[in-house]
Amino acid sequence: MTKMDRTRNFSIIAHIDHGKSTLADRLLELTGVLHSRQTHAQVLDDMDLEQERGITIKAHAVSMAHKDEELGDFTLNLIDTPGHVDFTYEVSRSLAACEGALLIVDATQGIEAQTLSNLYLALEHDLQIIPIINKIDLPSAQVELTRDSIVDLIGCDPEEVIAVSAKRGDNIEEVLRAIVRRVPPPQGEPDAPLRALIFDSIFDTYRGAVAYIRVFDGSIKKGMPIRFMNNQKNYEAEEIGFLSLKRVPRNELIAGDVGYIIPGCKLIRETRVGDTITSRERPATKPLPGFRVIKPMVFSGLYTTNSEEYTDLRDSLEKLALNDAAFTWEPETSVALGFGFRCGFLGMLHMEVVQERLEREFDLDLITTLPSVEYRVTTEDGTVLKIDNPSKMPPISKQTKVEEPYISSEIITPTEYIGPLMKLSLDRRGIYKTTEYLEGKRIILKFEFPLAEVIYDFYDKLKSVSRGYASLDYEFSGMKEADMVRLDIMLNGEIVDALSIITHRDKSFEWGQRVTRKLKNVIPRQLFAVAIQASVGSKVIARTNVKALRKNVLAKCYGGDITRKRKLLEKQREGKRRMKQVGSVEIPQEAFLALLKVDDDD
């Protein structure tokens, strides 16, 4: 048997918190990569955030040497995948580097939306699926019901489904036996020109970008001149090797191998996920399929509460962007908040993770503006503008067309929550598509949503109305024309640019009422009355006032003519009028946080 015949490349796919990282820990222990005294829970999830939230944010890869009792020695390459809908493209590239996938389903929760989404991705790449039921040790586990649903879903024999407890380590040996016997060996042409897929990349402070690769054709040697086929950059393979829990240098990687390459590249943006590496001396004619440049979907402004920390924020963003090619940022200024940055994220989870990392790792105190999506606006003269910041939206009189991004979504829910979920979806301008019935009184609701309606708190509301049982998965489907307007918030007649939002015209009145009501509760009272108004263009659609703090000027005025009292009140009124002209309203941080929770009941 050749080396390729003794190699197995596989991935683990699962919904969030179904035990993917815990199963990976057990496989590492059984194959001797980890000793029990070294281990801690979720070894591959090495960020504090990953362990706290129970999600995989950054994919990893690890090679394991395994000796099968009957068939002998094998090299098992586990290519980990992120477990959230924001990172679907990274998951697809990781799956493209494999021949098989372990499909993990929680015995207490059953098949969820992300499970289905990742399964379809795996089937698109013709992967051999090994179904696994996890958490069989829990009292609420429904092993047989889950087994039946898996059999219905992928059409396998019930005997092929492996029931395990990753936490206790029950039946993990059976998983290793299945990987060796069911996952096919990698295919490739060892003598063809080099073609290697970059399925992930990280940044090393001392070595620059480190690309994780799967070699499909040919071989790569240390010191070899290489080219990235999609960005046409030339480099040299300074170091190559295998990935254990740390990097293990080697002189050569051949077809079928999974490993790493250090090309002497300073920027992680140049080692893009999905790119193909080939030899400069003997290049391949076409790259591996599936590459695309990941574009941010959600945009938000990041500002420091203390304007003196602006340079610290810029340095922190530079360092963070080194390790995250999908994250974009550029400087912007706001009249209300001062100097800050407009940042682009893959989704709301990605945004939360970046913000939390900035606050934890760089000790910053941040204000985040309301997240928005990228709109496409066509002006009178035919110019097409991409608007990711509400303050850049041209006046209504100069617009001819506004398009917004839409997503195709799947909501998996028990049948008793159909009513509340349909109401929630239609309230968010959802376009109903179909309903598919699953086993065990569960259904898939398919909707198209404007992305802007989903990014705020749709997921929280979904979990709330379904008591946690519904799950959501979505993918970008395209741009559609919509009647979008910019809603401005004015304090004493002055527009506060950081509070502006882009919303649908039908929702602008309701949104304006809510925002002004919320702001009235959080903006502190001044010595003069503060008018809070919401306007679309020049038309004010909602208004409320923050009453002035008043001193009782009549307290010392006893007896005498009424004109004395009138004179004192008039003097006070004139003072307040003058103060209103020169006074400015301080906007507290709570005002921006209130906007993020504007959909809550007052």
mmCIF file of all heavy atoms in Angstrom, residues 355-400:
data_model
loop_
_atom_site.group_PDB
_atom_site.id
_atom_site.type_symbol
_atom_site.label_atom_id
_atom_site.label_comp_id
_atom_site.label_asym_id
_atom_site.label_seq_id
_atom_site.Cartn_x
_atom_site.Cartn_y
_atom_site.Cartn_z
ATOM 1 N N GLN A 355 -15.388 42.708 18.777
ATOM 2 C CA GLN A 355 -15.519 43.734 19.813
ATOM 3 C C GLN A 355 -15.023 43.211 21.163
ATOM 4 O O GLN A 355 -14.299 43.899 21.886
ATOM 5 C CB GLN A 355 -16.981 44.179 19.924
ATOM 6 C CG GLN A 355 -17.161 45.353 20.882
ATOM 7 C CD GLN A 355 -18.617 45.735 21.075
ATOM 8 O OE1 GLN A 355 -19.483 45.312 20.324
ATOM 9 N NE2 GLN A 355 -18.885 46.533 22.090
ATOM 10 N N GLU A 356 -15.405 41.975 21.485
ATOM 11 C CA GLU A 356 -15.005 41.415 22.786
ATOM 12 C C GLU A 356 -13.502 41.187 22.849
ATOM 13 O O GLU A 356 -12.869 41.408 23.882
ATOM 14 C CB GLU A 356 -15.776 40.112 23.031
ATOM 15 C CG GLU A 356 -15.936 39.826 24.500
ATOM 16 C CD GLU A 356 -17.096 38.890 24.802
ATOM 17 O OE1 GLU A 356 -18.095 38.905 24.060
ATOM 18 O OE2 GLU A 356 -16.975 38.151 25.779
ATOM 19 N N ARG A 357 -12.913 40.765 21.737
ATOM 20 C CA ARG A 357 -11.453 40.572 21.723
ATOM 21 C C ARG A 357 -10.715 41.900 21.884
ATOM 22 O O ARG A 357 -9.695 41.974 22.565
ATOM 23 C CB ARG A 357 -11.028 39.879 20.421
ATOM 24 C CG ARG A 357 -11.342 38.399 20.384
ATOM 25 C CD ARG A 357 -10.765 37.724 19.161
ATOM 26 N NE ARG A 357 -9.311 37.689 19.202
ATOM 27 C CZ ARG A 357 -8.549 37.262 18.204
ATOM 28 N NH1 ARG A 357 -9.120 36.864 17.081
ATOM 29 N NH2 ARG A 357 -7.228 37.233 18.310
ATOM 30 N N LEU A 358 -11.232 42.947 21.236
ATOM 31 C CA LEU A 358 -10.605 44.269 21.379
ATOM 32 C C LEU A 358 -10.653 44.743 22.832
ATOM 33 O O LEU A 358 -9.681 45.282 23.367
ATOM 34 C CB LEU A 358 -11.311 45.294 20.485
ATOM 35 C CG LEU A 358 -11.020 45.219 18.985
ATOM 36 C CD1 LEU A 358 -11.993 46.098 18.209
ATOM 37 C CD2 LEU A 358 -9.590 45.628 18.678
ATOM 38 N N GLU A 359 -11.787 44.514 23.481
ATOM 39 C CA GLU A 359 -11.929 44.978 24.863
ATOM 40 C C GLU A 359 -11.091 44.151 25.825
ATOM 41 O O GLU A 359 -10.516 44.673 26.782
ATOM 42 C CB GLU A 359 -13.409 44.948 25.270
ATOM 43 C CG GLU A 359 -14.228 46.040 24.560
ATOM 44 C CD GLU A 359 -15.701 45.999 24.892
ATOM 45 O OE1 GLU A 359 -16.160 44.964 25.418
ATOM 46 O OE2 GLU A 359 -16.401 46.987 24.626
ATOM 47 N N ARG A 360 -11.011 42.825 25.568
ATOM 48 C CA ARG A 360 -10.262 41.947 26.477
ATOM 49 C C ARG A 360 -8.758 42.012 26.259
ATOM 50 O O ARG A 360 -7.978 42.195 27.188
ATOM 51 C CB ARG A 360 -10.698 40.488 26.267
ATOM 52 C CG ARG A 360 -11.997 40.156 26.900
ATOM 53 C CD ARG A 360 -12.180 38.673 26.767
ATOM 54 N NE ARG A 360 -13.503 38.277 27.203
ATOM 55 C CZ ARG A 360 -13.819 37.039 27.484
ATOM 56 N NH1 ARG A 360 -12.929 36.090 27.372
ATOM 57 N NH2 ARG A 360 -15.027 36.727 27.877
ATOM 58 N N GLU A 361 -8.369 41.806 24.995
ATOM 59 C CA GLU A 361 -6.936 41.646 24.709
ATOM 60 C C GLU A 361 -6.194 42.970 24.687
ATOM 61 O O GLU A 361 -4.992 43.008 24.915
ATOM 62 C CB GLU A 361 -6.765 40.909 23.370
ATOM 63 C CG GLU A 361 -7.312 39.485 23.392
ATOM 64 C CD GLU A 361 -7.304 38.824 22.017
ATOM 65 O OE1 GLU A 361 -6.523 39.257 21.150
ATOM 66 O OE2 GLU A 361 -8.098 37.878 21.807
ATOM 67 N N PHE A 362 -6.910 44.070 24.395
ATOM 68 C CA PHE A 362 -6.228 45.366 24.279
ATOM 69 C C PHE A 362 -6.727 46.390 25.296
ATOM 70 O O PHE A 362 -6.346 47.546 25.242
ATOM 71 C CB PHE A 362 -6.389 45.909 22.847
ATOM 72 C CG PHE A 362 -5.871 44.969 21.794
ATOM 73 C CD1 PHE A 362 -6.739 44.167 21.070
ATOM 74 C CD2 PHE A 362 -4.508 44.853 21.546
ATOM 75 C CE1 PHE A 362 -6.271 43.277 20.099
ATOM 76 C CE2 PHE A 362 -4.033 43.975 20.578
ATOM 77 C CZ PHE A 362 -4.910 43.196 19.860
ATOM 78 N N ASP A 363 -7.613 45.941 26.208
ATOM 79 C CA ASP A 363 -8.072 46.770 27.329
ATOM 80 C C ASP A 363 -8.659 48.104 26.851
ATOM 81 O O ASP A 363 -8.257 49.179 27.303
ATOM 82 C CB ASP A 363 -6.906 47.010 28.305
ATOM 83 C CG ASP A 363 -7.408 47.502 29.662
ATOM 84 O OD1 ASP A 363 -8.570 47.206 29.973
ATOM 85 O OD2 ASP A 363 -6.650 48.189 30.369
ATOM 86 N N LEU A 364 -9.604 48.020 25.911
ATOM 87 C CA LEU A 364 -10.241 49.229 25.373
ATOM 88 C C LEU A 364 -11.695 49.303 25.834
ATOM 89 O O LEU A 364 -12.346 48.276 26.058
ATOM 90 C CB LEU A 364 -10.209 49.215 23.839
ATOM 91 C CG LEU A 364 -8.829 49.310 23.185
ATOM 92 C CD1 LEU A 364 -8.950 49.008 21.701
ATOM 93 C CD2 LEU A 364 -8.205 50.677 23.400
ATOM 94 N N ASP A 365 -12.193 50.511 25.986
ATOM 95 C CA ASP A 365 -13.602 50.730 26.322
ATOM 96 C C ASP A 365 -14.270 51.300 25.063
ATOM 97 O O ASP A 365 -13.968 52.423 24.662
ATOM 98 C CB ASP A 365 -13.698 51.706 27.493
ATOM 99 C CG ASP A 365 -15.057 51.627 28.175
ATOM 100 O OD1 ASP A 365 -15.854 50.761 27.776
ATOM 101 O OD2 ASP A 365 -15.310 52.439 29.081
ATOM 102 N N LEU A 366 -15.166 50.525 24.431
ATOM 103 C CA LEU A 366 -15.655 50.879 23.094
ATOM 104 C C LEU A 366 -17.132 51.242 23.067
ATOM 105 O O LEU A 366 -17.919 50.752 23.880
ATOM 106 C CB LEU A 366 -15.423 49.699 22.129
ATOM 107 C CG LEU A 366 -13.977 49.253 21.914
ATOM 108 C CD1 LEU A 366 -13.956 48.018 21.036
ATOM 109 C CD2 LEU A 366 -13.165 50.366 21.274
ATOM 110 N N ILE A 367 -17.485 52.105 22.111
ATOM 111 C CA ILE A 367 -18.888 52.364 21.763
ATOM 112 C C ILE A 367 -19.085 51.824 20.347
ATOM 113 O O ILE A 367 -18.297 52.110 19.453
ATOM 114 C CB ILE A 367 -19.204 53.871 21.769
ATOM 115 C CG1 ILE A 367 -19.054 54.458 23.173
ATOM 116 C CG2 ILE A 367 -20.616 54.122 21.255
ATOM 117 C CD1 ILE A 367 -19.244 55.969 23.216
ATOM 118 N N THR A 368 -20.137 51.028 20.150
ATOM 119 C CA THR A 368 -20.444 50.484 18.824
ATOM 120 C C THR A 368 -21.717 51.125 18.311
ATOM 121 O O THR A 368 -22.717 51.162 19.026
ATOM 122 C CB THR A 368 -20.662 48.955 18.907
ATOM 123 O OG1 THR A 368 -19.624 48.380 19.671
ATOM 124 C CG2 THR A 368 -20.673 48.331 17.535
ATOM 125 N N THR A 369 -21.680 51.645 17.094
ATOM 126 C CA THR A 369 -22.915 52.207 16.523
ATOM 127 C C THR A 369 -23.803 51.073 16.022
ATOM 128 O O THR A 369 -23.365 49.926 15.904
ATOM 129 C CB THR A 369 -22.609 53.176 15.366
ATOM 130 O OG1 THR A 369 -21.963 52.448 14.320
ATOM 131 C CG2 THR A 369 -21.723 54.309 15.831
ATOM 132 N N LEU A 370 -25.040 51.415 15.734
ATOM 133 C CA LEU A 370 -26.002 50.411 15.283
ATOM 134 C C LEU A 370 -25.496 49.738 14.009
ATOM 135 O O LEU A 370 -25.122 50.425 13.060
ATOM 136 C CB LEU A 370 -27.339 51.099 15.004
ATOM 137 C CG LEU A 370 -28.569 50.201 14.998
ATOM 138 C CD1 LEU A 370 -28.828 49.640 16.372
ATOM 139 C CD2 LEU A 370 -29.782 50.989 14.531
ATOM 140 N N PRO A 371 -25.438 48.401 13.966
ATOM 141 C CA PRO A 371 -24.939 47.726 12.757
ATOM 142 C C PRO A 371 -25.856 47.953 11.561
ATOM 143 O O PRO A 371 -27.062 48.078 11.702
ATOM 144 C CB PRO A 371 -24.916 46.247 13.160
ATOM 145 C CG PRO A 371 -25.797 46.138 14.341
ATOM 146 C CD PRO A 371 -25.802 47.460 15.028
ATOM 147 N N SER A 372 -25.255 48.021 10.368
ATOM 148 C CA SER A 372 -26.045 48.181 9.142
ATOM 149 C C SER A 372 -25.461 47.265 8.072
ATOM 150 O O SER A 372 -24.394 46.702 8.254
ATOM 151 C CB SER A 372 -26.007 49.632 8.665
ATOM 152 O OG SER A 372 -24.711 49.968 8.229
ATOM 153 N N VAL A 373 -26.186 47.138 6.970
ATOM 154 C CA VAL A 373 -25.702 46.318 5.858
ATOM 155 C C VAL A 373 -25.301 47.255 4.712
ATOM 156 O O VAL A 373 -25.474 48.467 4.797
ATOM 157 C CB VAL A 373 -26.774 45.306 5.391
ATOM 158 C CG1 VAL A 373 -27.126 44.359 6.516
ATOM 159 C CG2 VAL A 373 -28.019 46.027 4.883
ATOM 160 N N GLU A 374 -24.774 46.680 3.638
ATOM 161 C CA GLU A 374 -24.343 47.504 2.499
ATOM 162 C C GLU A 374 -25.466 47.610 1.470
ATOM 163 O O GLU A 374 -25.911 46.604 0.926
ATOM 164 C CB GLU A 374 -23.083 46.905 1.858
ATOM 165 C CG GLU A 374 -22.462 47.806 0.806
ATOM 166 C CD GLU A 374 -21.129 47.271 0.311
ATOM 167 O OE1 GLU A 374 -21.142 46.313 -0.503
ATOM 168 O OE2 GLU A 374 -20.095 47.783 0.750
ATOM 169 N N TYR A 375 -25.923 48.830 1.234
ATOM 170 C CA TYR A 375 -26.980 49.083 0.245
ATOM 171 C C TYR A 375 -26.357 49.547 -1.076
ATOM 172 O O TYR A 375 -25.251 50.098 -1.088
ATOM 173 C CB TYR A 375 -27.944 50.155 0.754
ATOM 174 C CG TYR A 375 -28.693 49.749 1.995
ATOM 175 C CD1 TYR A 375 -28.181 50.041 3.255
ATOM 176 C CD2 TYR A 375 -29.900 49.077 1.923
ATOM 177 C CE1 TYR A 375 -28.858 49.657 4.410
ATOM 178 C CE2 TYR A 375 -30.585 48.693 3.070
ATOM 179 C CZ TYR A 375 -30.053 48.980 4.310
ATOM 180 O OH TYR A 375 -30.724 48.594 5.442
ATOM 181 N N ARG A 376 -27.092 49.333 -2.156
ATOM 182 C CA ARG A 376 -26.641 49.791 -3.469
ATOM 183 C C ARG A 376 -27.614 50.880 -3.935
ATOM 184 O O ARG A 376 -28.797 50.591 -4.145
ATOM 185 C CB ARG A 376 -26.606 48.615 -4.441
ATOM 186 C CG ARG A 376 -25.553 48.767 -5.528
ATOM 187 C CD ARG A 376 -25.139 47.440 -6.110
ATOM 188 N NE ARG A 376 -26.246 46.685 -6.662
ATOM 189 C CZ ARG A 376 -26.201 45.374 -6.885
ATOM 190 N NH1 ARG A 376 -25.111 44.702 -6.600
ATOM 191 N NH2 ARG A 376 -27.236 44.733 -7.393
ATOM 192 N N VAL A 377 -27.119 52.106 -4.056
ATOM 193 C CA VAL A 377 -27.980 53.239 -4.401
ATOM 194 C C VAL A 377 -27.599 53.759 -5.786
ATOM 195 O O VAL A 377 -26.430 54.041 -6.053
ATOM 196 C CB VAL A 377 -27.836 54.373 -3.362
ATOM 197 C CG1 VAL A 377 -28.737 55.545 -3.732
ATOM 198 C CG2 VAL A 377 -28.178 53.871 -1.962
ATOM 199 N N THR A 378 -28.601 53.863 -6.670
ATOM 200 C CA THR A 378 -28.391 54.445 -8.001
ATOM 201 C C THR A 378 -28.899 55.884 -7.972
ATOM 202 O O THR A 378 -30.055 56.135 -7.613
ATOM 203 C CB THR A 378 -29.148 53.639 -9.078
ATOM 204 O OG1 THR A 378 -28.792 52.253 -8.968
ATOM 205 C CG2 THR A 378 -28.779 54.122 -10.474
ATOM 206 N N THR A 379 -28.035 56.828 -8.343
ATOM 207 C CA THR A 379 -28.407 58.251 -8.308
ATOM 208 C C THR A 379 -28.955 58.699 -9.661
ATOM 209 O O THR A 379 -28.945 57.940 -10.635
ATOM 210 C CB THR A 379 -27.189 59.114 -7.925
ATOM 211 O OG1 THR A 379 -26.145 58.883 -8.875
ATOM 212 C CG2 THR A 379 -26.690 58.775 -6.533
ATOM 213 N N GLU A 380 -29.412 59.965 -9.737
ATOM 214 C CA GLU A 380 -30.031 60.503 -10.959
ATOM 215 C C GLU A 380 -29.118 60.427 -12.175
ATOM 216 O O GLU A 380 -29.559 60.184 -13.294
ATOM 217 C CB GLU A 380 -30.414 61.978 -10.732
ATOM 218 C CG GLU A 380 -31.597 62.169 -9.812
ATOM 219 C CD GLU A 380 -31.826 63.634 -9.519
ATOM 220 O OE1 GLU A 380 -30.826 64.369 -9.432
ATOM 221 O OE2 GLU A 380 -32.997 64.044 -9.398
ATOM 222 N N ASP A 381 -27.812 60.642 -11.951
ATOM 223 C CA ASP A 381 -26.885 60.636 -13.085
ATOM 224 C C ASP A 381 -26.377 59.238 -13.444
ATOM 225 O O ASP A 381 -25.453 59.087 -14.243
ATOM 226 C CB ASP A 381 -25.699 61.576 -12.810
ATOM 227 C CG ASP A 381 -24.935 61.181 -11.542
ATOM 228 O OD1 ASP A 381 -25.300 60.139 -10.938
ATOM 229 O OD2 ASP A 381 -23.985 61.896 -11.173
ATOM 230 N N GLY A 382 -26.973 58.198 -12.844
ATOM 231 C CA GLY A 382 -26.615 56.820 -13.186
ATOM 232 C C GLY A 382 -25.468 56.238 -12.376
ATOM 233 O O GLY A 382 -25.099 55.071 -12.562
ATOM 234 N N THR A 383 -24.908 57.005 -11.434
ATOM 235 C CA THR A 383 -23.816 56.499 -10.595
ATOM 236 C C THR A 383 -24.369 55.491 -9.590
ATOM 237 O O THR A 383 -25.424 55.719 -8.978
ATOM 238 C CB THR A 383 -23.143 57.660 -9.821
ATOM 239 O OG1 THR A 383 -22.803 58.676 -10.746
ATOM 240 C CG2 THR A 383 -21.894 57.178 -9.099
ATOM 241 N N VAL A 384 -23.658 54.360 -9.416
ATOM 242 C CA VAL A 384 -24.060 53.350 -8.431
ATOM 243 C C VAL A 384 -23.138 53.474 -7.219
ATOM 244 O O VAL A 384 -21.920 53.328 -7.329
ATOM 245 C CB VAL A 384 -23.983 51.928 -9.022
ATOM 246 C CG1 VAL A 384 -24.351 50.898 -7.957
ATOM 247 C CG2 VAL A 384 -24.905 51.804 -10.223
ATOM 248 N N LEU A 385 -23.736 53.782 -6.053
ATOM 249 C CA LEU A 385 -22.963 53.950 -4.819
ATOM 250 C C LEU A 385 -23.204 52.765 -3.892
ATOM 251 O O LEU A 385 -24.326 52.249 -3.807
ATOM 252 C CB LEU A 385 -23.396 55.235 -4.093
ATOM 253 C CG LEU A 385 -23.314 56.544 -4.884
ATOM 254 C CD1 LEU A 385 -23.946 57.670 -4.072
ATOM 255 C CD2 LEU A 385 -21.857 56.877 -5.204
ATOM 256 N N LYS A 386 -22.142 52.336 -3.205
ATOM 257 C CA LYS A 386 -22.283 51.307 -2.170
ATOM 258 C C LYS A 386 -22.265 52.016 -0.818
ATOM 259 O O LYS A 386 -21.264 52.622 -0.447
ATOM 260 C CB LYS A 386 -21.155 50.279 -2.267
ATOM 261 C CG LYS A 386 -21.280 49.413 -3.511
ATOM 262 C CD LYS A 386 -20.215 48.335 -3.562
ATOM 263 C CE LYS A 386 -20.432 47.434 -4.772
ATOM 264 N NZ LYS A 386 -19.382 46.398 -4.890
ATOM 265 N N ILE A 387 -23.370 51.937 -0.107
ATOM 266 C CA ILE A 387 -23.546 52.695 1.136
ATOM 267 C C ILE A 387 -23.535 51.733 2.325
ATOM 268 O O ILE A 387 -24.440 50.905 2.473
ATOM 269 C CB ILE A 387 -24.876 53.487 1.123
ATOM 270 C CG1 ILE A 387 -24.972 54.370 -0.122
ATOM 271 C CG2 ILE A 387 -25.037 54.284 2.408
ATOM 272 C CD1 ILE A 387 -23.979 55.494 -0.177
ATOM 273 N N ASP A 388 -22.494 51.833 3.173
ATOM 274 C CA ASP A 388 -22.468 51.016 4.389
ATOM 275 C C ASP A 388 -22.615 51.871 5.650
ATOM 276 O O ASP A 388 -22.619 51.365 6.760
ATOM 277 C CB ASP A 388 -21.186 50.175 4.464
ATOM 278 C CG ASP A 388 -19.925 51.015 4.432
ATOM 279 O OD1 ASP A 388 -19.979 52.161 4.886
ATOM 280 O OD2 ASP A 388 -18.875 50.522 3.963
ATOM 281 N N ASN A 389 -22.715 53.197 5.459
ATOM 282 C CA ASN A 389 -22.841 54.122 6.574
ATOM 283 C C ASN A 389 -24.046 55.029 6.307
ATOM 284 O O ASN A 389 -24.087 55.709 5.279
ATOM 285 C CB ASN A 389 -21.559 54.972 6.684
ATOM 286 C CG ASN A 389 -21.546 55.832 7.925
ATOM 287 O OD1 ASN A 389 -22.576 56.079 8.540
ATOM 288 N ND2 ASN A 389 -20.367 56.298 8.302
ATOM 289 N N PRO A 390 -25.055 55.045 7.186
ATOM 290 C CA PRO A 390 -26.263 55.850 6.924
ATOM 291 C C PRO A 390 -25.970 57.318 6.616
ATOM 292 O O PRO A 390 -26.673 57.940 5.816
ATOM 293 C CB PRO A 390 -27.057 55.716 8.236
ATOM 294 C CG PRO A 390 -26.601 54.419 8.819
ATOM 295 C CD PRO A 390 -25.160 54.273 8.440
ATOM 296 N N SER A 391 -24.928 57.884 7.218
ATOM 297 C CA SER A 391 -24.644 59.309 6.997
ATOM 298 C C SER A 391 -24.203 59.600 5.561
ATOM 299 O O SER A 391 -24.232 60.749 5.112
ATOM 300 C CB SER A 391 -23.574 59.792 7.979
ATOM 301 O OG SER A 391 -22.355 59.112 7.770
ATOM 302 N N LYS A 392 -23.810 58.559 4.798
ATOM 303 C CA LYS A 392 -23.371 58.759 3.408
ATOM 304 C C LYS A 392 -24.514 58.606 2.403
ATOM 305 O O LYS A 392 -24.320 58.751 1.199
ATOM 306 C CB LYS A 392 -22.263 57.760 3.054
ATOM 307 C CG LYS A 392 -20.953 57.983 3.819
ATOM 308 C CD LYS A 392 -19.932 56.940 3.433
ATOM 309 C CE LYS A 392 -18.636 57.099 4.219
ATOM 310 N NZ LYS A 392 -17.701 55.993 3.983
ATOM 311 N N MET A 393 -25.708 58.287 2.901
ATOM 312 C CA MET A 393 -26.860 58.079 2.006
ATOM 313 C C MET A 393 -27.239 59.397 1.343
ATOM 314 O O MET A 393 -27.456 60.408 2.017
ATOM 315 C CB MET A 393 -28.036 57.565 2.842
ATOM 316 C CG MET A 393 -29.239 57.173 2.028
ATOM 317 S SD MET A 393 -29.221 55.425 1.675
ATOM 318 C CE MET A 393 -30.936 55.122 1.330
ATOM 319 N N PRO A 394 -27.303 59.447 0.000
ATOM 320 C CA PRO A 394 -27.668 60.705 -0.680
ATOM 321 C C PRO A 394 -29.121 61.078 -0.394
ATOM 322 O O PRO A 394 -29.935 60.212 -0.050
ATOM 323 C CB PRO A 394 -27.457 60.382 -2.162
ATOM 324 C CG PRO A 394 -27.484 58.902 -2.265
ATOM 325 C CD PRO A 394 -27.034 58.358 -0.957
ATOM 326 N N PRO A 395 -29.488 62.357 -0.540
ATOM 327 C CA PRO A 395 -30.881 62.778 -0.301
ATOM 328 C C PRO A 395 -31.858 62.017 -1.192
ATOM 329 O O PRO A 395 -31.514 61.595 -2.303
ATOM 330 C CB PRO A 395 -30.861 64.274 -0.667
ATOM 331 C CG PRO A 395 -29.423 64.678 -0.594
ATOM 332 C CD PRO A 395 -28.617 63.472 -0.931
ATOM 333 N N ILE A 396 -33.090 61.874 -0.704
ATOM 334 C CA ILE A 396 -34.119 61.115 -1.437
ATOM 335 C C ILE A 396 -34.324 61.691 -2.843
ATOM 336 O O ILE A 396 -34.518 60.944 -3.811
ATOM 337 C CB ILE A 396 -35.455 61.139 -0.657
ATOM 338 C CG1 ILE A 396 -35.283 60.413 0.674
ATOM 339 C CG2 ILE A 396 -36.578 60.508 -1.462
ATOM 340 C CD1 ILE A 396 -36.464 60.508 1.611
ATOM 341 N N SER A 397 -34.231 63.015 -2.980
ATOM 342 C CA SER A 397 -34.484 63.656 -4.275
ATOM 343 C C SER A 397 -33.455 63.260 -5.336
ATOM 344 O O SER A 397 -33.715 63.371 -6.529
ATOM 345 C CB SER A 397 -34.484 65.177 -4.110
ATOM 346 O OG SER A 397 -33.238 65.603 -3.567
ATOM 347 N N LYS A 398 -32.269 62.773 -4.897
ATOM 348 C CA LYS A 398 -31.214 62.422 -5.857
ATOM 349 C C LYS A 398 -31.133 60.913 -6.122
ATOM 350 O O LYS A 398 -30.273 60.456 -6.858
ATOM 351 C CB LYS A 398 -29.870 62.934 -5.351
ATOM 352 C CG LYS A 398 -29.783 64.461 -5.326
ATOM 353 C CD LYS A 398 -28.394 64.938 -4.975
ATOM 354 C CE LYS A 398 -28.335 66.452 -4.994
ATOM 355 N NZ LYS A 398 -27.017 66.955 -4.576
ATOM 356 N N GLN A 399 -32.020 60.139 -5.488
ATOM 357 C CA GLN A 399 -31.996 58.684 -5.671
ATOM 358 C C GLN A 399 -32.991 58.267 -6.748
ATOM 359 O O GLN A 399 -34.066 58.855 -6.861
ATOM 360 C CB GLN A 399 -32.384 57.976 -4.371
ATOM 361 C CG GLN A 399 -31.505 58.276 -3.181
ATOM 362 C CD GLN A 399 -32.102 57.716 -1.899
ATOM 363 O OE1 GLN A 399 -33.037 56.931 -1.924
ATOM 364 N NE2 GLN A 399 -31.554 58.129 -0.772
ATOM 365 N N THR A 400 -32.605 57.252 -7.531
ATOM 366 C CA THR A 400 -33.583 56.665 -8.465
ATOM 367 C C THR A 400 -33.917 55.229 -8.062
ATOM 368 O O THR A 400 -34.997 54.737 -8.343
ATOM 369 C CB THR A 400 -33.042 56.659 -9.913
ATOM 370 O OG1 THR A 400 -31.796 55.958 -9.944
ATOM 371 C CG2 THR A 400 -32.845 58.077 -10.423
#
